[in-house]
Amino acid sequence: MPWPSLLTAVVTAAVTTAATPWVLRRLPRPPEAPDYPALATPRLLVAVGALTLVVTGLVTCLTPVAHWLAWASLAVVNVWAVVIDARTTWLPAALSRIGWGVAAVGVATAALVRGELGPVGAAALGAVTVGGFFHAVWAWTRQVGYGDVRLAATIGAVAALEGGVTLTAAAVLAGTCAGAVWGLAHRAGRHTGPFPYGPGLWSGPFLALVWWAVSGAL
């Protein structure tokens, strides 16, 4: 890993971890939501730091600098969301919306750097297509939560910005498979009730990014 990528990943992970208790204290909390501040345990902070370090390292090694801000919507903001989901099966809507905003600014930045509107169109199409697909799954089956729908829209935007239809399809497929594996592990552990689908879905674009890099190198 080149040292600028390593430094960026380490600093991002450290800042994200340090900000976690502050974020949890300030998240809007519907009456039925869990007590977010109580989640700020050492175990959760380690999880946030480790995940942010790994995925930020991947992004900074494998994507153009102009795309890093868009990826931060997944590699920073939605790290908090999926770690909360893993603990509570609850994806906070506020974090999803912040993720949308970061992705939008990141896409606009990429468009400015490239001097064309192609990134905006690709990201918008990805967000509508993937978000719309998961909205349909939610509406017809209620087998996913609406937080997963919001997350899917961000995934679609970022994956489409990076690699168009190919990377977007790979991200959705990888995330769906990871979510299925997570669900099987949940059942195997004799847990009942809903399981957190968000972490598996969230991992999809990063798995697809690794596949994209490896297949391009072969």
Side-chain angles (χ1 to χ4, degrees):
M1 178 184 292
W3 73 263
S5 295
L6 177 60
L7 179 61
T8 301
V10 169
V11 171
T12 302
V15 172
T16 303
T17 303
T20 299
W22 183 89
V23 170
L24 292 173
R25 287 194 301 270
R26 283 159 179 78
L27 275 178
R29 182 174 171 245
E32 67 275 21
D35 181 7
Y36 294 135
L39 299 177
T41 62
R43 182 178 177 182
L44 183 134
L45 296 178
V46 168
V48 168
L51 285 175
T52 306
L53 180 65
V54 170
V55 297
T56 304
L58 287 175
V59 167
T60 54
C61 281
L62 301 178
T63 70
V65 174
H67 293 184
W68 288 3
L69 181 56
W71 277 97
S73 63
L74 295 172
V76 176
V77 179
N78 275 292
V79 166
W80 288 316
V82 298
V83 169
I84 292 171
D85 191 28
R87 286 287 306 275
T88 67
T89 71
W90 191 277
L91 278 168
L95 289 176
S96 295
R97 295 184 180 110
I98 292 170
W100 292 346
V102 172
V105 174
V107 169
T109 300
L112 285 172
V113 170
R114 290 165 55 173
E116 56 177 327
L117 291 177
V120 176
L125 182 60
V128 170
T129 302
V130 179
F133 171 75
F134 276 87
H135 175 81
V137 172
W138 170 81
W140 292 338
T141 70
R142 292 300 197 270
Q143 294 301 303
V144 297
Y146 210 79
D148 301 314
V149 178
R150 298 186 189 99
L151 174 59
T154 304
I155 289 171
V158 176
L161 167 70
E162 192 63 44
V165 173
T166 302
L167 190 66
T168 303
V172 173
L173 177 60
T176 301
C177 292
V181 170
W182 185 283
L184 290 173
H186 182 81
R187 298 294 183 228
R190 301 183 183 277
H191 299 292
T192 59
F195 72 93
Y197 187 67
L201 182 64
W202 167 85
S203 71
F206 300 106
L207 296 172
L209 190 61
V210 172
W211 166 78
W212 180 273
V214 171
S215 62
L218 295 178

